[in-house]
């Protein structure tokens, strides 16, 4: 499936919710065949900004292939209303439910939930809430929300060392446990959001299984799925999901604000959604 060719500009709009409006981009499906709808759920905090370029490229490529793709900035994120301090995991799930409802009315065919990093946790949570079966496209998925939270909290310590040459004061995890919000890398993290993220797990929804496309990037010349991923994917296979898992060489673009390109990831996504992907290399 080629990534080349002109694609119309996405439709930008604000989706009304009970707590303000959410900024959305809809990429209408191109061509005569509509292959389905794809709802994209972005990663946590600053990772959203670092991933916009690659995600936009993938959304355009999917639209060109016949998918209707909806991107939403969740409460307090990106160009949506509200502050990050207003966000909760449950509020984000409600945003995702409203976005799904909108997509159902504007795209025909099978539903794919596409999540990146912590967005994968939200995608599987949404899948569990939906009445109908769906498929999952997961990029570099976080398996446990607690691990994602710990990675974010480490930014606080790193910034202290870089700014002052030492780390002082109570650790952010201690403040959160005491019911206090913490400011990390320009984001105010509340105990409520931290608890919701920490409790999130990447689990097969209790419903008829669909397809799971699991894609990871590595800087290694001969990438392999991580042992944790291999072990976790066995749970999905045991639950009846048709799993396509692949490790690819490419930039870890969610870790930087550089304008990285990930052509192998984009092509693999198209190939696997069309059933052409092979099982990924495993240790």
């Amino acid at each position: 499936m080629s990534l080349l060719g002109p694609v119309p500009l996405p439709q930008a709009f604000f989706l009304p919710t009970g707590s303000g409006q959410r900024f959305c981009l809809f990429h209408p499906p191109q061509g005569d065949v509509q292959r389905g709808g794809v709802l994209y759920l972005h990663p946590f905090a600053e990772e959203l900004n670092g991933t916009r370029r690659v995600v936009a490229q993938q959304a355009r490529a999917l639209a060109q292939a016949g998918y209707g793709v909806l991107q939403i900035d969740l409460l307090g994120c990106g160009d949506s209303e509200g502050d990050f301090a207003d966000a909760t995991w449950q509020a984000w799930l409600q945003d995702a439910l409203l976005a799904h409802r909108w997509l159902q009315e504007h795209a025909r065919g099978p539903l794919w939930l596409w999540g990146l990093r912590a967005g994968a946790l939200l995608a599987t949570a949404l899948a569990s809430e939906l009445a109908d079966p769906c498929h999952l496209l997961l990029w570099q998925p976080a398996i446990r929300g607690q691990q994602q939270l710990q990675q974010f909290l480490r930014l606080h310590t790193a910034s202290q060392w870089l700014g002052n040459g030492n780390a002082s004061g109570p650790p952010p995890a201690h403040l959160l446990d005491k019911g206090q919000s913490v400011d990390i890398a320009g984001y105010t993290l509340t105990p409520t959001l931290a608890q919701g993220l920490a409790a999130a797990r990447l689990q097969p929804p209790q419903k008829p299984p669909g397809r799971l496309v699991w894609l990871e990037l590595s800087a290694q010349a001969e990438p392999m799925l991580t042992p944790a991923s291999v072990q976790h994917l066995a749970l999905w296979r045991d639950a009846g999901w048709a799993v396509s898992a692949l490790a690819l060489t490419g930039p870890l673009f969610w870790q930087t604000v550089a304008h990285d390109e990930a052509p192998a990831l984009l092509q693999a996504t198209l190939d696997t959604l069309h059933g052409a992907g092979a099982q990924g290399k495993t240790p």
Side-chain angles (χ1 to χ4, degrees), residues 138-226:
L138 306 183
W139 279 8
Q140 208 74 24
I143 296 176
R144 297 171 52 249
Q146 180 64 40
Q147 183 179 28
Q148 177 82 62
L149 177 62
Q150 289 172 347
Q151 291 174 359
F152 183 67
L153 295 181
R154 281 199 290 270
L155 294 176
H156 181 267
T157 301
S159 65
Q160 285 189 317
W161 279 104
L162 291 172
N164 305 320
N166 61 79
S168 60
H174 177 78
L175 296 175
L176 290 169
D177 289 341
K178 294 295 185 180
Q180 300 179 42
S181 297
V182 294
D183 292 323
I184 301 175
Y187 294 86
T188 299
L189 177 65
T190 66
T192 302
L193 178 55
Q195 291 165 7
L197 174 61
R201 299 287 187 277
L202 201 68
Q203 300 180 23
Q206 298 299 312
K207 60 175 54 189
R211 293 182 58 201
L212 169 62
V213 173
W214 179 295
L215 300 176
E216 295 181 5
L217 285 178
S218 170
Q220 298 178 355
E222 296 184 2
M224 300 183 71
L225 296 173
T226 66

Coordinates of all heavy atoms in Angstrom, one line a residue, residues 138-226:
L138 N -2.4 -0.7 18.2 CA -1.6 -0.2 19.3 C -0.2 0.0 18.9 O 0.5 -0.9 18.4 CB -1.7 -1.2 20.5 CG -3.1 -1.6 20.9 CD1 -3.0 -2.5 22.2 CD2 -4.0 -0.4 21.2
W139 N 0.3 1.3 19.0 CA 1.6 1.7 18.8 C 2.4 1.8 20.1 O 2.0 2.6 21.0 CB 1.7 3.0 18.1 CG 1.5 3.0 16.6 CD1 1.1 2.0 15.8 CD2 1.6 4.1 15.7 NE1 1.0 2.3 14.5 CE2 1.3 3.7 14.4 CE3 2.0 5.5 15.9 CZ2 1.3 4.5 13.3 CZ3 2.0 6.3 14.8 CH2 1.7 5.8 13.5
Q140 N 3.5 1.1 20.3 CA 4.3 1.2 21.5 C 3.4 1.2 22.7 O 3.6 2.1 23.6 CB 5.2 2.4 21.4 CG 6.5 2.3 22.2 CD 7.5 1.4 21.4 OE1 7.4 1.2 20.2 NE2 8.4 0.8 22.2
P141 N 2.5 0.2 22.9 CA 1.5 0.3 24.0 C 2.2 0.2 25.3 O 3.1 -0.6 25.6 CB 0.6 -0.8 23.7 CG 1.4 -1.8 22.9 CD 2.3 -1.0 22.1
A142 N 1.7 1.0 26.3 CA 2.0 0.8 27.7 C 1.1 -0.3 28.2 O -0.1 -0.3 28.0 CB 1.7 2.1 28.4
I143 N 1.7 -1.3 28.8 CA 1.0 -2.4 29.4 C 0.4 -2.1 30.7 O -0.7 -2.6 31.0 CB 1.9 -3.6 29.5 CG1 2.4 -4.0 28.0 CG2 1.2 -4.8 30.1 CD1 3.4 -5.2 28.0
R144 N 1.0 -1.3 31.5 CA 0.6 -0.9 32.8 C 0.6 0.6 33.0 O 1.7 1.2 32.7 CB 1.4 -1.6 33.9 CG 1.3 -3.1 34.0 CD 2.3 -3.7 34.9 NE 2.2 -3.1 36.3 CZ 3.2 -2.4 36.8 NH1 4.3 -2.0 36.1 NH2 3.0 -1.9 38.0
G145 N -0.5 1.2 33.4 CA -0.5 2.6 33.6 C 0.5 3.0 34.7 O 1.0 4.1 34.7
Q146 N 0.7 2.2 35.7 CA 1.7 2.5 36.8 C 3.1 2.8 36.2 O 3.8 3.7 36.7 CB 1.7 1.4 37.8 CG 2.6 1.7 39.0 CD 2.2 2.9 39.8 OE1 1.0 3.0 40.1 NE2 3.2 3.7 40.3
Q147 N 3.5 2.0 35.2 CA 4.8 2.2 34.6 C 4.9 3.5 33.9 O 5.8 4.2 34.0 CB 5.1 1.0 33.7 CG 6.5 1.1 33.1 CD 6.7 -0.1 32.2 OE1 5.8 -0.7 31.6 NE2 8.0 -0.5 32.1
Q148 N 3.8 3.8 33.2 CA 3.7 5.1 32.4 C 3.8 6.3 33.4 O 4.5 7.3 33.2 CB 2.4 5.2 31.6 CG 2.2 6.5 30.9 CD 3.0 6.6 29.6 OE1 2.7 5.8 28.7 NE2 3.9 7.5 29.5
L149 N 3.1 6.2 34.6 CA 3.1 7.2 35.6 C 4.5 7.4 36.2 O 5.0 8.5 36.3 CB 2.1 6.9 36.7 CG 2.1 7.8 37.9 CD1 1.6 9.2 37.4 CD2 1.1 7.3 38.9
Q150 N 5.2 6.3 36.5 CA 6.5 6.4 37.0 C 7.5 7.0 36.1 O 8.4 7.8 36.5 CB 7.0 5.0 37.4 CG 6.3 4.4 38.6 CD 6.6 2.9 38.8 OE1 7.2 2.2 38.0 NE2 6.2 2.4 40.0
Q151 N 7.4 6.7 34.8 CA 8.2 7.4 33.8 C 8.0 8.9 33.8 O 8.9 9.7 33.7 CB 7.9 6.8 32.4 CG 8.4 5.4 32.2 CD 8.0 4.8 30.9 OE1 7.3 5.4 30.1 NE2 8.3 3.5 30.7
F152 N 6.7 9.3 33.9 CA 6.4 10.7 33.9 C 7.0 11.4 35.2 O 7.5 12.5 35.1 CB 4.9 10.9 33.8 CG 4.5 12.4 33.7 CD1 4.8 13.1 32.6 CD2 3.8 12.9 34.8 CE1 4.4 14.5 32.6 CE2 3.4 14.3 34.7 CZ 3.7 15.0 33.6
L153 N 6.8 10.7 36.3 CA 7.3 11.3 37.6 C 8.8 11.5 37.6 O 9.4 12.4 38.2 CB 6.9 10.4 38.7 CG 5.4 10.3 39.0 CD1 5.1 9.4 40.2 CD2 4.7 11.7 39.2
R154 N 9.5 10.6 36.8 CA 11.0 10.7 36.8 C 11.4 12.0 36.1 O 12.6 12.4 36.3 CB 11.6 9.5 36.1 CG 11.7 8.2 37.0 CD 12.6 7.2 36.5 NE 12.1 6.6 35.3 CZ 11.4 5.5 35.2 NH1 11.1 4.9 36.4 NH2 11.0 4.9 34.1
L155 N 10.6 12.6 35.3 CA 10.9 13.8 34.7 C 11.1 14.9 35.7 O 11.9 15.9 35.5 CB 9.8 14.3 33.7 CG 9.6 13.4 32.5 CD1 8.4 13.9 31.7 CD2 10.8 13.4 31.6
H156 N 10.4 14.8 36.8 CA 10.5 15.8 37.9 C 11.9 15.8 38.5 O 12.6 16.8 38.7 CB 9.5 15.5 39.0 CG 9.5 16.5 40.1 ND1 10.3 16.3 41.3 CD2 8.9 17.7 40.3 CE1 10.1 17.3 42.1 NE2 9.3 18.2 41.6
T157 N 12.4 14.6 38.8 CA 13.7 14.4 39.3 C 14.8 14.9 38.4 O 15.8 15.5 38.7 CB 14.0 12.9 39.7 OG1 13.0 12.5 40.7 CG2 15.4 12.8 40.3
A158 N 14.6 14.5 37.1 CA 15.6 14.9 36.1 C 15.7 16.4 35.9 O 16.8 17.0 35.8 CB 15.2 14.3 34.7
S159 N 14.5 17.1 36.0 CA 14.5 18.5 35.9 C 15.2 19.2 37.1 O 15.9 20.2 36.9 CB 13.1 19.1 35.7 OG 12.3 18.8 36.9
Q160 N 15.0 18.6 38.2 CA 15.7 19.2 39.4 C 17.2 19.1 39.3 O 17.9 20.0 39.6 CB 15.2 18.5 40.7 CG 13.8 18.9 41.1 CD 13.4 18.3 42.5 OE1 13.7 17.1 42.8 NE2 12.8 19.1 43.3
W161 N 17.7 17.9 38.9 CA 19.1 17.8 38.7 C 19.7 18.7 37.7 O 20.7 19.3 37.8 CB 19.4 16.3 38.3 CG 19.4 15.4 39.5 CD1 18.5 14.5 39.8 CD2 20.4 15.2 40.5 NE1 18.8 13.8 41.0 CE2 20.0 14.2 41.4 CE3 21.7 15.9 40.7 CZ2 20.8 13.9 42.5 CZ3 22.4 15.5 41.8 CH2 22.0 14.5 42.7
L162 N 19.0 18.9 36.6 CA 19.4 19.7 35.5 C 19.4 21.2 35.9 O 20.3 22.0 35.6 CB 18.6 19.5 34.2 CG 18.8 18.2 33.5 CD1 17.8 18.0 32.4 CD2 20.2 18.1 33.0
G163 N 18.4 21.6 36.7 CA 18.2 23.0 37.1 C 19.0 23.4 38.3 O 19.6 24.5 38.3
N164 N 19.2 22.5 39.3 CA 19.8 22.9 40.5 C 21.1 22.1 40.8 O 21.8 22.4 41.8 CB 18.8 22.7 41.7 CG 17.6 23.5 41.5 OD1 17.6 24.6 40.9 ND2 16.4 22.9 41.8
G165 N 21.3 21.1 40.1 CA 22.5 20.2 40.4 C 22.2 19.2 41.4 O 23.1 18.4 41.8
N166 N 21.0 19.2 42.0 CA 20.6 18.2 43.0 C 19.1 18.1 43.0 O 18.4 19.0 42.6 CB 21.2 18.6 44.4 CG 20.6 19.9 44.9 OD1 19.5 20.0 45.3 ND2 21.4 21.0 44.7
A167 N 18.6 17.0 43.6 CA 17.2 16.8 43.8 C 16.9 17.0 45.2 O 17.4 16.4 46.1 CB 16.8 15.4 43.3
S168 N 15.9 17.9 45.5 CA 15.6 18.2 46.9 C 14.0 18.3 47.0 O 13.3 18.4 46.0 CB 16.2 19.5 47.3 OG 15.7 20.6 46.5
G169 N 13.6 18.2 48.2 CA 12.1 18.3 48.5 C 11.5 16.9 48.4 O 12.1 15.9 47.9
P170 N 10.3 16.8 48.8 CA 9.6 15.5 48.8 C 9.4 15.0 47.3 O 9.1 15.8 46.4 CB 8.2 15.8 49.4 CG 8.4 17.1 50.1 CD 9.4 17.9 49.4
P171 N 9.5 13.8 47.1 CA 9.3 13.2 45.7 C 7.9 13.4 45.3 O 7.0 13.4 46.2 CB 9.7 11.8 45.9 CG 9.6 11.4 47.3 CD 9.9 12.7 48.0
P172 N 7.6 13.6 44.0 CA 6.2 13.8 43.6 C 5.3 12.7 44.0 O 4.1 12.9 44.3 CB 6.3 14.0 42.1 CG 7.7 13.4 41.7 CD 8.5 13.6 42.9
A173 N 5.7 11.5 44.0 CA 4.9 10.3 44.4 C 4.4 10.5 45.8 O 3.2 10.2 46.1 CB 5.6 9.0 44.2
H174 N 5.2 11.0 46.7 CA 4.8 11.2 48.1 C 3.8 12.3 48.2 O 2.8 12.2 48.9 CB 6.1 11.6 48.9 CG 5.8 12.0 50.3 ND1 5.6 11.0 51.3 CD2 5.7 13.2 51.0 CE1 5.3 11.6 52.4 NE2 5.4 12.9 52.3
L175 N 3.9 13.4 47.4 CA 3.0 14.5 47.4 C 1.6 14.0 46.9 O 0.6 14.4 47.4 CB 3.5 15.7 46.6 CG 4.8 16.3 47.1 CD1 5.2 17.4 46.1 CD2 4.5 17.0 48.5
L176 N 1.6 13.2 45.8 CA 0.4 12.7 45.3 C -0.3 11.8 46.3 O -1.5 11.8 46.4 CB 0.7 11.9 44.0 CG 1.1 12.8 42.8 CD1 1.6 11.8 41.7 CD2 0.0 13.6 42.3
D177 N 0.5 11.0 47.0 CA -0.1 10.1 48.0 C -0.8 10.9 49.1 O -1.7 10.5 49.8 CB 0.9 9.2 48.6 CG 1.4 8.1 47.7 OD1 0.6 7.8 46.7 OD2 2.5 7.5 47.9
K178 N -0.3 12.1 49.4 CA -0.8 13.0 50.4 C -2.0 13.9 49.9 O -2.5 14.7 50.6 CB 0.3 13.9 50.9 CG 1.4 13.2 51.7 CD 0.9 12.6 53.0 CE 2.1 12.0 53.8 NZ 1.6 11.3 55.0
G179 N -2.4 13.6 48.6 CA -3.5 14.4 48.1 C -3.1 15.7 47.5 O -4.0 16.5 47.2
Q180 N -1.8 15.9 47.2 CA -1.4 17.2 46.6 C -1.0 17.0 45.2 O -0.5 16.0 44.8 CB -0.1 17.7 47.4 CG -0.4 17.9 48.9 CD 0.9 18.4 49.5 OE1 1.6 19.3 49.0 NE2 1.2 17.9 50.7
S181 N -1.3 18.0 44.4 CA -1.0 18.0 43.0 C 0.5 18.4 42.8 O 1.1 19.0 43.7 CB -1.8 19.1 42.2 OG -3.2 18.7 42.2
V182 N 1.1 18.0 41.7 CA 2.5 18.3 41.5 C 2.7 18.8 40.1 O 1.9 18.5 39.2 CB 3.4 17.0 41.6 CG1 3.4 16.5 43.1 CG2 2.9 15.9 40.7
D183 N 3.6 19.7 39.9 CA 3.9 20.3 38.6 C 5.2 19.6 38.0 O 6.2 19.7 38.6 CB 4.2 21.8 38.7 CG 2.9 22.6 39.1 OD1 1.8 22.2 38.6 OD2 3.0 23.5 39.9
I184 N 5.0 19.0 36.9 CA 6.1 18.3 36.2 C 6.1 18.7 34.7 O 5.1 18.5 34.0 CB 5.9 16.8 36.4 CG1 5.8 16.4 37.9 CG2 7.0 16.0 35.7 CD1 5.5 14.9 38.1
A185 N 7.2 19.2 34.3 CA 7.5 19.5 32.9 C 6.4 20.4 32.3 O 6.0 20.2 31.2 CB 7.6 18.2 32.1
G186 N 5.9 21.3 33.1 CA 4.8 22.2 32.7 C 3.4 21.7 32.8 O 2.5 22.3 32.3
Y187 N 3.2 20.5 33.4 CA 1.9 19.9 33.5 C 1.6 19.8 35.0 O 2.4 19.3 35.8 CB 1.8 18.6 32.9 CG 2.0 18.6 31.4 CD1 3.2 18.6 30.8 CD2 0.9 18.7 30.5 CE1 3.4 18.7 29.4 CE2 1.0 18.7 29.2 CZ 2.3 18.8 28.6 OH 2.4 18.8 27.2
T188 N 0.4 20.1 35.4 CA -0.1 20.0 36.8 C -0.8 18.6 36.9 O -1.9 18.5 36.3 CB -1.0 21.1 37.2 OG1 -0.3 22.3 37.2 CG2 -1.5 20.9 38.7
L189 N -0.2 17.7 37.6 CA -0.7 16.3 37.7 C -1.5 16.2 39.0 O -0.9 16.4 40.1 CB 0.4 15.3 37.6 CG 0.0 13.8 37.8 CD1 -1.0 13.4 36.7 CD2 1.2 12.9 37.9
T190 N -2.7 15.9 39.0 CA -3.5 15.8 40.2 C -3.5 14.4 40.7 O -3.3 13.4 39.9 CB -5.0 16.2 39.9 OG1 -5.6 15.3 39.0 CG2 -5.1 17.6 39.4
P191 N -3.8 14.2 42.0 CA -3.9 12.8 42.5 C -4.9 12.0 41.8 O -4.7 10.8 41.6 CB -4.2 13.0 44.0 CG -3.7 14.4 44.3 CD -3.9 15.2 43.1
T192 N -6.0 12.6 41.4 CA -7.1 11.9 40.8 C -6.7 11.3 39.4 O -6.9 10.1 39.1 CB -8.3 12.8 40.6 OG1 -8.8 13.3 41.9 CG2 -9.5 12.0 40.0
L193 N -6.0 12.1 38.6 CA -5.5 11.6 37.3 C -4.4 10.6 37.5 O -4.4 9.6 36.8 CB -5.0 12.8 36.5 CG -4.5 12.4 35.1 CD1 -5.5 11.6 34.3 CD2 -4.0 13.6 34.3
A194 N -3.5 10.8 38.5 CA -2.5 9.9 38.7 C -3.0 8.5 39.1 O -2.6 7.5 38.7 CB -1.5 10.4 39.8
Q195 N -4.0 8.5 40.0 CA -4.6 7.3 40.4 C -5.3 6.5 39.3 O -5.2 5.3 39.1 CB -5.6 7.5 41.5 CG -5.0 8.0 42.8 CD -6.0 8.6 43.8 OE1 -7.2 8.6 43.6 NE2 -5.5 9.2 44.9
G196 N -6.0 7.3 38.4 CA -6.7 6.7 37.3 C -5.7 6.1 36.3 O -6.0 5.0 35.8
L197 N -4.7 6.8 36.0 CA -3.6 6.3 35.1 C -3.0 5.0 35.7 O -2.8 4.0 35.0 CB -2.6 7.3 34.8 CG -1.4 6.9 34.0 CD1 -1.8 6.4 32.6 CD2 -0.4 8.1 33.8
A198 N -2.6 5.1 37.0 CA -1.9 4.0 37.6 C -2.8 2.7 37.6 O -2.2 1.6 37.6 CB -1.5 4.4 39.1
A199 N -4.1 2.9 37.7 CA -4.9 1.7 37.8 C -5.2 1.1 36.4 O -5.7 0.0 36.3 CB -6.3 2.1 38.4
A200 N -4.9 1.8 35.3 CA -5.2 1.3 34.0 C -4.3 0.1 33.6 O -3.1 0.0 34.0 CB -5.0 2.4 33.0
R201 N -4.9 -0.9 33.0 CA -4.2 -2.1 32.5 C -4.6 -2.4 31.1 O -5.7 -2.1 30.7 CB -4.6 -3.3 33.4 CG -4.3 -3.2 34.9 CD -2.8 -3.3 35.1 NE -2.5 -3.4 36.5 CZ -2.4 -2.3 37.3 NH1 -2.6 -1.1 36.8 NH2 -2.1 -2.4 38.6
L202 N -3.7 -3.0 30.4 CA -3.9 -3.3 29.0 C -4.4 -4.8 29.0 O -3.7 -5.7 29.0 CB -2.6 -3.2 28.2 CG -2.8 -3.1 26.7 CD1 -3.4 -1.8 26.3 CD2 -1.4 -3.3 26.0
Q203 N -5.8 -4.9 29.0 CA -6.4 -6.2 29.1 C -7.4 -6.5 27.9 O -8.0 -5.5 27.5 CB -7.2 -6.3 30.4 CG -6.3 -6.1 31.6 CD -7.1 -6.2 32.9 OE1 -8.2 -6.8 32.9 NE2 -6.6 -5.7 34.0
P204 N -7.5 -7.7 27.5 CA -8.4 -8.0 26.4 C -9.9 -7.8 26.9 O -10.2 -8.2 28.0 CB -8.2 -9.5 26.2 CG -6.8 -9.8 26.7 CD -6.6 -8.9 27.8
P205 N -10.6 -7.0 26.2 CA -12.0 -6.7 26.6 C -12.8 -8.0 26.6 O -12.6 -9.0 25.9 CB -12.5 -5.8 25.4 CG -11.3 -5.2 24.8 CD -10.3 -6.3 24.9
Q206 N -13.8 -8.0 27.6 CA -14.6 -9.2 27.7 C -15.8 -9.1 26.7 O -16.9 -8.8 27.1 CB -15.2 -9.2 29.2 CG -14.1 -9.4 30.2 CD -13.3 -10.7 30.1 OE1 -13.9 -11.7 29.9 NE2 -12.0 -10.6 30.1
K207 N -15.5 -9.4 25.5 CA -16.5 -9.4 24.4 C -15.9 -10.2 23.2 O -14.7 -10.6 23.3 CB -16.7 -7.9 23.9 CG -15.5 -7.2 23.4 CD -15.9 -5.8 22.9 CE -16.6 -5.0 23.9 NZ -17.2 -3.8 23.4
P208 N -16.7 -10.4 22.2 CA -16.2 -11.2 21.1 C -14.8 -10.6 20.6 O -14.8 -9.4 20.3 CB -17.3 -11.1 20.0 CG -18.5 -11.0 20.8 CD -18.1 -10.1 22.0
P209 N -13.8 -11.4 20.4 CA -12.5 -10.9 20.1 C -12.4 -10.4 18.6 O -13.2 -10.9 17.8 CB -11.5 -12.1 20.3 CG -12.4 -13.3 20.1 CD -13.8 -12.9 20.6
G210 N -11.5 -9.5 18.4 CA -11.3 -9.0 17.0 C -9.9 -9.1 16.6 O -9.2 -10.1 17.0
R211 N -9.4 -8.2 15.9 CA -8.0 -8.2 15.5 C -7.2 -7.2 16.4 O -7.6 -6.1 16.7 CB -7.8 -7.8 14.0 CG -8.4 -8.8 13.1 CD -8.1 -8.3 11.6 NE -6.7 -8.2 11.4 CZ -6.2 -7.4 10.4 NH1 -7.0 -6.7 9.6 NH2 -4.9 -7.3 10.2
L212 N -5.9 -7.6 16.7 CA -5.0 -6.7 17.5 C -3.8 -6.6 16.6 O -3.1 -7.6 16.3 CB -4.7 -7.4 18.8 CG -3.5 -6.7 19.6 CD1 -3.9 -5.2 19.9 CD2 -3.2 -7.5 20.9
V213 N -3.5 -5.3 16.3 CA -2.2 -5.0 15.6 C -1.3 -4.3 16.6 O -1.7 -3.2 17.1 CB -2.5 -4.1 14.3 CG1 -1.1 -3.7 13.7 CG2 -3.3 -4.9 13.3
W214 N -0.2 -4.9 16.9 CA 0.7 -4.4 17.9 C 2.1 -4.1 17.3 O 2.7 -5.0 16.8 CB 0.9 -5.5 19.0 CG 1.8 -5.2 20.1 CD1 3.1 -5.1 20.1 CD2 1.4 -5.2 21.5 NE1 3.6 -4.9 21.4 CE2 2.5 -5.0 22.3 CE3 0.2 -5.4 22.2 CZ2 2.5 -5.0 23.7 CZ3 0.1 -5.3 23.6 CH2 1.3 -5.1 24.3
L215 N 2.4 -2.8 17.3 CA 3.7 -2.4 16.6 C 4.6 -1.6 17.5 O 4.2 -0.7 18.3 CB 3.3 -1.5 15.4 CG 2.5 -2.1 14.3 CD1 2.1 -1.1 13.2 CD2 3.1 -3.3 13.7
E216 N 5.9 -2.1 17.6 CA 6.9 -1.4 18.4 C 8.0 -0.9 17.6 O 8.3 -1.5 16.5 CB 7.4 -2.4 19.4 CG 6.4 -2.9 20.4 CD 7.0 -3.9 21.4 OE1 8.3 -4.1 21.4 OE2 6.3 -4.5 22.3
L217 N 8.7 0.1 18.0 CA 9.9 0.6 17.4 C 11.1 0.4 18.3 O 11.0 0.5 19.5 CB 9.7 2.1 17.1 CG 8.8 2.5 15.9 CD1 8.7 4.0 15.8 CD2 9.3 1.9 14.6
S218 N 12.2 0.3 17.7 CA 13.5 0.1 18.4 C 14.6 0.7 17.6 O 14.5 0.8 16.3 CB 13.8 -1.4 18.6 OG 15.1 -1.6 19.1
A219 N 15.6 1.2 18.3 CA 16.8 1.7 17.6 C 17.7 0.7 17.1 O 18.7 0.9 16.3 CB 17.5 2.7 18.6
Q220 N 17.5 -0.6 17.4 CA 18.3 -1.7 17.0 C 18.2 -2.0 15.5 O 17.1 -1.9 15.0 CB 18.0 -2.9 17.9 CG 18.3 -2.7 19.3 CD 17.9 -4.0 20.1 OE1 17.4 -5.0 19.6 NE2 18.2 -3.9 21.4
A221 N 19.2 -2.4 14.9 CA 19.2 -2.8 13.5 C 18.3 -4.0 13.3 O 17.7 -4.2 12.2 CB 20.6 -3.0 13.0
E222 N 18.3 -4.9 14.2 CA 17.5 -6.1 14.1 C 16.6 -6.2 15.3 O 16.8 -6.8 16.3 CB 18.4 -7.4 14.1 CG 19.3 -7.5 12.9 CD 20.0 -8.8 12.8 OE1 19.8 -9.6 13.7 OE2 20.8 -8.9 11.9
P223 N 15.5 -5.4 15.3 CA 14.6 -5.2 16.4 C 13.8 -6.5 16.7 O 13.5 -7.3 15.8 CB 13.7 -4.1 16.0 CG 13.6 -4.2 14.5 CD 15.0 -4.7 14.1
M224 N 13.5 -6.7 18.0 CA 12.6 -7.8 18.4 C 11.6 -7.2 19.5 O 11.9 -6.3 20.2 CB 13.5 -8.9 19.1 CG 14.5 -9.5 18.1 SD 15.4 -10.9 18.9 CE 14.1 -12.1 18.9
L225 N 10.5 -7.8 19.5 CA 9.5 -7.5 20.6 C 10.1 -7.7 21.9 O 10.9 -8.6 22.1 CB 8.3 -8.3 20.4 CG 7.4 -8.1 19.1 CD1 6.3 -9.2 19.1 CD2 6.9 -6.7 19.0
T226 N 9.8 -6.8 22.9 CA 10.3 -7.0 24.2 C 9.8 -8.3 24.9 O 8.6 -8.7 24.5 CB 10.0 -5.8 25.1 OG1 8.6 -5.7 25.3 CG2 10.5 -4.5 24.4

